[in-house]
Each structure stands twice: as structure tokens, then as C-alpha cells.
């Protein structure tokens, strides 16, 4: 019980600073009506867990933010639900899994992240009682301060599952960590995404590109030019910077009752 109280206190302390104060400061400072969020810079080293259905999802969706976290000395773990083994019909699952695991290792090295795999099957991910328990155990075991995962309103069923499993982990862990959703291939995959927070990634754009382009089997140049370049610039326009990544922050109950001037 004592342990829980202390975890709760830490959570409250952390929650004041928003999305890792150091990384968000430039953008939040430029946005009006942001109140006191982010004004407290905590030097605690955070553990960031970024969940993605397939190798590449965390990198494309929030590689810039993850680069900034690891540059600031925070620990970043990418938890991939699958190894993307179903992505090429002319190779076996084993061959494709080996290839994409290798690509993920290269991109994780660029971003200074650690890769982990949840053992689900690409194109056939499951959201049920067992998988919810498994994922909750896995995420809670990692003791994250912040979890990023895919926005579940998405055309790809694996992305839907990837959004909802960590949501259950968040609820079952009594909202012990911050939960943010990220977007991928917006307009084609992610839908109905209205960001609450932005991270200025202008300074790490090239690093993010390097991490994305490590996923050679995924037509990264085309995907970048068609989706992520325009998206980074559009989110940048919204945030008043050159390029940004955008997120939806699921706030804990205590934070919801917090409107400026009230
Ligand atoms: Zn994906």
C-alpha cells in the first residue's frame, strides 16, 4: 500500500510537466493558453515505452520524439507486437521476420532505443482476455513513465489492436503511466486524429529519416514523401514550428478537472 502511495505521488509530480518537459518545452512555450503545464522541469530520467504493431510504426509515428527523449538521456524501448512477418507474400514468415527484425535493430540503433517483441502474428493480432493480461503484465513489468501507442481508429486491424491493448494496461495499472497515442499514414490508415500535444522535431528530422529509411522492405522513401513529410510539415504549421509530431494525451482523471482560470 505504501508503495502504491509513493508511486501515485511520483505520478502526480510527473504529470505536471506534460510530455517529458525537456522535449516539449520549445513547442509548448510557443503555443498560447498552455498554462502552467510543462513549466516544471524534472530531472528524473524517464522510461519511455513506444508500442507499435509492426517494425517501423514507432519510428515513422514518433521517431523524432523518441530521438529527443534518448538524446536527453531518457531510456526508450520499442515494443513491437509482431515482426511484420506477413508483409511480403513471396517470402516465408520466418524469412520476413528475420529481415524486419534486422531492419528494426538498425533503426533502434539510430534512435538509441531497445527493441522488444510481444510475439503476436502480423496480420492476425488478437485482442482478447489473454492478450490483454499478457500485455498488461509486459507493460507494467517495464515500469514505464510514459507509453506511446497507435491511435486505435485506424484502417489497419493490427493498429487497432495495438492501440487498445496498452489502453487496457493503462486502466488496469490504475493509470500509473502517461498514455499518448500517435498517428501513422494519416488519411490512409490513422483516422479521426485530433492532437492534444505537439513535439518540435525540426532538429532531429534527418535522424528520424535515417531510422525510417532503415526499413528498406517497407518502401520508406515513397512512404516518407507521400505521408510523413507532408504530415510533419502540417503538424509543424499547427504547432508554429518547421516540423512536428502530434499526439493525443489520455489524461488521468485528476488532470481532466484542470482548466485555466478555474
Ligand atoms: Zn503498421
Amino acid at each position: 500500500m505504501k508503495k502504491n502511495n509513493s508511486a501515485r505521488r511520483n505520478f502526480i509530480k510527473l504529470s505536471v510537466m506534460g510530455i517529458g518537459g525537456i522535449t516539449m518545452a520549445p513547442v509548448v512555450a510557443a503555443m498560447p493558453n498552455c498554462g502552467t503545464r510543462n513549466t516544471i522541469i524534472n530531472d528524473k530520467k524517464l522510461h519511455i515505452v513506444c508500442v507499435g504493431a509492426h517494425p517501423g510504426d514507432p519510428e515513422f509515428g514518433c521517431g523524432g520524439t523518441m530521438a529527443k527523449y534518448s538524446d536527453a538521456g531518457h531510456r526508450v524501448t520499442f515494443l513491437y507486437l509482431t515482426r511484420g512477418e506477413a508483409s511480403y507474400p513471396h517470402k516465408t514468415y520466418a524469412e520476413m521476420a528475420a529481415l524486419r527484425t534486422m531492419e528494426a535493430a538498425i533503426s533502434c540503433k539510430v534512435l538509441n532505443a531497445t527493441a522488444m517483441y510481444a510475439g503476436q502474428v502480423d496480420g492476425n493480432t488478437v485482442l482478447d482476455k489473454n492478450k490483454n493480461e499478457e500485455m498488461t503484465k509486459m507493460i507494467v513489468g517495464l515500469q514505464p513513465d510514459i507509453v506511446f501507442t497507435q491511435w486505435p481508429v485506424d484502417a489497419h486491424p493490427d493498429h487497432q489492436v495495438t492501440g487498445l491493448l496498452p489502453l487496457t494496461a493503462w486502466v488496469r495499472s490504475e493509470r500509473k503511466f502517461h498514455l499518448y497515442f500517435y498517428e501513422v499514414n494519416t488519411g490512409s490508415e490513422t483516422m479521426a486524429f485530433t492532437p492534444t500535444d505537439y513535439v518540435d522535431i525540426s532538429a532531429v528530422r534527418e535522424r528520424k529519416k535515417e531510422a525510417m529509411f532503415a526499413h528498406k522492405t517497407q518502401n520508406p522513401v515513397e512512404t516518407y514523401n507521400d505521408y510523413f513529410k507532408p504530415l510533419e510539415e502540417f503538424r509543424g504549421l499547427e504547432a508554429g514550428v518547421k516540423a512536428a509530431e502530434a499526439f493525443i494525451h489520455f489524461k488521468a482523471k485528476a488532470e481532466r478537472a484542470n482548466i485555466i482560470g478555474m
Side-chain angles (χ1 to χ4, degrees), residues 183-256:
E183 55 183 332
V184 289
N185 289 27
T186 305
S188 166
E189 293 187 338
T190 295
M191 294 178 275
F193 191 86
T194 307
T196 59
D197 292 88
Y198 295 79
V199 174
D200 179 0
I201 62 158
S202 310
V204 290
R205 233 176 150 185
E206 287 307 309
R207 274 252 304 298
K208 179 183 176 181
K209 250 168 92 175
E210 199 185 333
M212 292 189 285
F213 287 11
H215 293 276
K216 286 185 183 156
T217 60
Q218 303 305 300
N219 302 322
V221 177
E222 200 183 307
T223 306
Y224 176 72
N225 287 331
D226 291 353
Y227 293 100
F228 289 91
K229 187 174 183 287
L231 184 62
E232 286 169 8
E233 287 165 0
F234 176 67
R235 294 306 184 201
L237 285 171
E238 289 185 311
V241 296
K242 201 171 173 189
E245 286 169 346
F247 303 95
I248 292 175
H249 185 193
F250 252 46
K251 289 182 181 178
K253 287 174 186 171
E255 276 185 283
R256 289 176 187 267

Side-chain angles (χ1 to χ4, degrees), residues 52-58 82 100 122 150 154 156 158-159 162 184 189 218:
H54 314 103
D57 283 324
T82 78
R100 296 198 62 184
D122 183 15
Q150 297 187 246
D154 190 293
H156 198 312
D158 287 343
H159 295 174
T162 303
V184 289
E189 293 187 338
Q218 303 305 300

Side-chain angles (χ1 to χ4, degrees), residues 8-197:
R8 181 78 194 152
R9 269 198 307 276
N10 281 342
F11 169 68
I12 290 165
K13 195 177 166 195
L14 191 64
S15 70
V16 185
M17 70 186 224
I19 177 174
I22 301 161
T23 52
M24 276 301 283
V27 171
V28 173
M31 294 170 71
N33 303 322
C34 283
T36 53
R37 279 190 66 204
N38 221 63
T39 52
I40 295 174
I41 305 294
N42 190 332
D43 58 6
K44 177 186 189 295
K45 291 301 173 198
L46 305 170
H47 185 197
I48 318 298
V49 174
C50 186
V51 188
H54 314 103
D57 283 324
E59 295 90 322
F60 279 81
C62 39
T65 302
M66 296 304 131
K68 291 185 80 168
Y69 272 127
S70 58
D71 286 355
H74 302 298
R75 185 176 149 212
V76 176
T77 301
F78 285 175
L79 176 55
Y80 302 109
L81 249 68
T82 78
R83 291 177 190 262
E85 56 269 41
S87 54
Y88 189 60
H90 303 297
K91 283 195 187 294
T92 65
Y93 274 22
E95 285 169 335
M96 210 53 209
L99 251 179
R100 296 198 62 184
T101 302
M102 193 186 69
E103 291 174 346
I106 297 167
S107 69
C108 281
K109 202 170 176 193
V110 172
L111 299 173
N112 197 19
T114 303
M116 282 184 67
Y117 294 88
Q120 289 233 33
V121 178
D122 183 15
N124 202 14
T125 52
V126 173
L127 175 73
D128 65 8
K129 187 172 178 283
N130 288 342
K131 291 298 176 193
N132 267 318
E133 281 170 7
E134 206 176 283
M135 183 56 89
T136 297
K137 212 171 158 187
M138 205 175 283
I139 288 178
V140 171
L142 288 168
Q143 298 186 297
D145 297 291
I146 309 176
V147 172
F148 289 81
T149 194
Q150 297 187 246
W151 178 242
V153 185
D154 190 293
H156 198 312
D158 287 343
H159 295 174
Q160 298 168 11
V161 171
T162 303
L164 293 175
L165 287 173
L167 177 68
T168 301
W170 182 67
V171 171
R172 289 189 179 169
S173 71
E174 298 178 358
R175 298 161 171 83
K176 258 185 200 152
F177 51 83
H178 282 267
L179 181 65
Y180 288 87
F181 291 98
Y182 65 85
E183 55 183 332
V184 289
N185 289 27
T186 305
S188 166
E189 293 187 338
T190 295
M191 294 178 275
F193 191 86
T194 307
T196 59
D197 292 88

